[in-house]
Amino acid sequence: VQLVESGGGLVQAGGSLRLSCAASRSTFSFNVMGWYRQAPGKQRELVATITTVASSTNYADSVKGRFTISRDDVKNTMYLQMNSLKPEDTAVYYCNARLLVVNSWGQGTQVTVSS
């Protein structure tokens, strides 16, 4: 499967961005999809996930109330709406799709938040 992220960029603190992750096959073919991020010198961390069946969502405490994950099953695309961005949100954001124990990753998109 191919996952292609887009929507990253440079934004001022307090601004918004929407990331997209286009999958090469139906989003229904995955159990869970999610967004992860990796800042320089840090480990990759979970940002948010969304399940396929019930569309249950889960967020890292650091982004709760500011980020919203969603999925468009017609377009086979997952989104991450990011509001009230902070400099500490600066990272490469990766799309993930999991089927059972098999994980697929996108190439990542850079998000930079200036203070």
Side-chain angles (χ1 to χ4, degrees):
V1 61
Q2 287 188 327
L3 302 172
V4 180
E5 302 102 332
S6 62
L10 173 64
V11 64
Q12 288 188 331
S16 299
L17 283 174
R18 187 176 81 154
L19 304 183
S20 299
C21 171
S24 59
R25 69 185 195 213
S26 172
T27 48
F28 285 116
S29 64
F30 308 113
N31 300 123
V32 181
M33 297 185 73
W35 289 96
Y36 291 72
R37 67 187 182 186
Q38 187 167 18
K42 295 187 177 182
Q43 290 188 333
R44 190 173 297 189
E45 64 176 3
L46 170 72
V47 176
T49 60
I50 183 166
T51 64
T52 300
V53 176
S55 293
S56 296
T57 58
N58 178 56
Y59 296 91
D61 288 343
S62 59
V63 306
K64 281 181 181 176
R66 300 188 298 122
F67 290 10
T68 303
I69 189 171
S70 62
R71 200 180 67 241
D72 185 329
D73 297 320
V74 174
K75 296 182 178 179
N76 294 332
T77 301
M78 177 179 64
Y79 303 98
L80 184 68
Q81 178 66 43
M82 305 186 294
N83 298 327
S84 302
L85 282 161
K86 304 175 181 180
E88 51 263 44
D89 294 318
T90 295
V92 177
Y93 284 70
Y94 296 92
C95 172
N96 172 269
R98 187 169 78 241
L99 176 61
L100 299 179
V101 296
V102 178
N103 278 288
S104 299
W105 294 92
Q107 81 288 352
T109 185
Q110 176 70 47
V111 172
T112 302
V113 184
S114 63
S115 57

